[in-house]
Amino acid sequence: MNWIEAHEAVFRLSLFALILLVMLFAEWRWPKRKLTRTRRERWSGNILLTVFNTLTLRVLAPVSAVGAASFAAASGFGVFNQFSLPEWAAVIVTLVVMDMAIWYQHKLFHQVPWLWRLHLVHHADMDIDVTTGARFHTVEIWLSMAIKGVLVALLGAPVVAVIVFETLLSGMAMFNHSNVGLPKRVDAWLRRFIVTPDMHRVHHSTRSHECNANYGFNLSCWDRWFNTYVPQPRKGHHNMRIGLNEISQPADASNIFGMLRLPLRWRILQRAYQHKKESWAHETGDRHVQKPR
């Protein structure tokens, strides 16, 4: 664990690159869905937005989640620093608590209107693949980092636990957003424990009751326990529509400048809110219907 702390950048970057390459190969070799837009059209915006977000976090964020953990350790602040809990136990509790917190944060970004304005940038992608996992509005990234920093400080989470969690967060986001067709038996077994691509793909459906479900990114238990689990999309994975009904122009969905200004596009937002309200009223009875894949 000391090695991970001493080589944080190498550890995180190496695993990120490894998982990215593995998922890119898997998408090419075993694709689940035929994409409706070219990779060149979508990837340029998604990758540019990811790079922009990373740079702004490095420059503008005063304290990262790892920095908050270092502060808590140095000052003796936080729950874990008040008790003599073994480091391995503190690491496990941190990973579970933060996983649940990110699940709840994700749900809030769907339920609170001004937060949804930011989060819809993620859902505006007209296909879903490994690059979608890092496609978020810059302000949402800042808010998420602030939330994680506060939680880490309150817990007094070990530095190594936060590094592992942040690595899991990015790695699992690439995995469960990937356009990979896992064998049915493998998917059924994995989703007992973690969020699979098929499970999370439901969340990117244009159907409101499917979009407002399956909020998890790592552990799949939260959606089951809190009644937000939809096993399969009603129209099946090959026929379901990905994205938002109100956003169909590449300038809004794939261009970095269009994505950044999307939360301010009032006409689009008004149509999205109205459609969300109307479709939710008609579709809530479908939530737990199991359909062919």
Side-chain angles (χ1 to χ4, degrees), residues 26-229:
E27 287 186 335
W28 168 74
R29 184 65 179 82
W30 303 286
K32 180 72 175 187
R33 286 167 47 95
K34 183 178 180 180
L35 301 180
T36 63
R37 298 292 190 277
T38 65
R39 290 185 176 87
R40 182 177 182 179
E41 181 182 29
R42 293 176 48 257
W43 282 14
S44 58
N46 289 357
I47 293 172
L48 279 174
L49 183 59
T50 302
V51 172
F52 178 72
N53 289 341
T54 302
L55 292 176
T56 57
L57 273 181
R58 292 288 183 181
V59 174
L60 299 177
V63 180
S64 66
V66 176
S70 299
F71 162 78
S75 62
F77 186 81
V79 175
F80 293 147
N81 290 315
Q82 308 304 315
F83 303 95
S84 56
L85 196 67
E87 186 179 40
W88 64 266
V91 168
I92 292 174
V93 173
T94 296
L95 294 179
V96 173
V97 170
M98 292 192 69
D99 191 88
M100 183 176 67
I102 292 297
W103 175 90
Y104 187 66
Q105 172 192 303
H106 191 180
K107 185 178 181 181
L108 282 180
F109 270 81
H110 276 252
Q111 293 180 331
V112 179
W114 72 272
L115 293 176
W116 171 244
R117 289 186 188 179
L118 299 171
H119 189 60
L120 61 76
V121 172
H122 179 64
H123 282 267
D125 202 346
M126 291 179 281
D127 284 302
I128 178 172
D129 63 16
V130 65
T131 65
T132 311
R135 170 199 163 113
F136 294 93
H137 194 276
T138 308
V139 178
E140 179 176 359
I141 291 292
W142 294 347
L143 286 173
S144 181
M145 182 58 71
I147 292 169
K148 286 185 291 186
V150 171
L151 179 59
V152 164
L154 291 175
L155 286 174
V159 173
V160 66
V162 179
I163 295 173
V164 171
F165 176 80
E166 292 283 64
T167 306
L168 271 175
L169 183 65
S170 61
M172 286 300 297
M174 288 189 287
F175 169 69
N176 56 45
H177 283 86
S178 64
N179 184 37
V180 174
L182 295 177
K184 291 183 180 181
R185 290 186 178 180
V186 174
D187 175 82
W189 185 84
L190 282 177
R191 68 166 63 194
R192 295 178 182 178
F193 311 101
I194 63 173
V195 178
T196 65
D198 275 9
M199 179 177 169
H200 190 73
R201 191 177 299 109
V202 176
H203 180 73
H204 282 261
S205 169
T206 58
R207 295 175 65 86
S208 184
H209 86 284
E210 293 174 352
C211 178
N212 290 286
N214 298 7
Y215 296 110
F217 89 93
N218 183 21
L219 299 176
S220 61
C221 59
W222 311 122
D223 286 299
R224 299 178 191 275
W225 291 353
F226 297 115
N227 199 35
T228 55
Y229 176 58

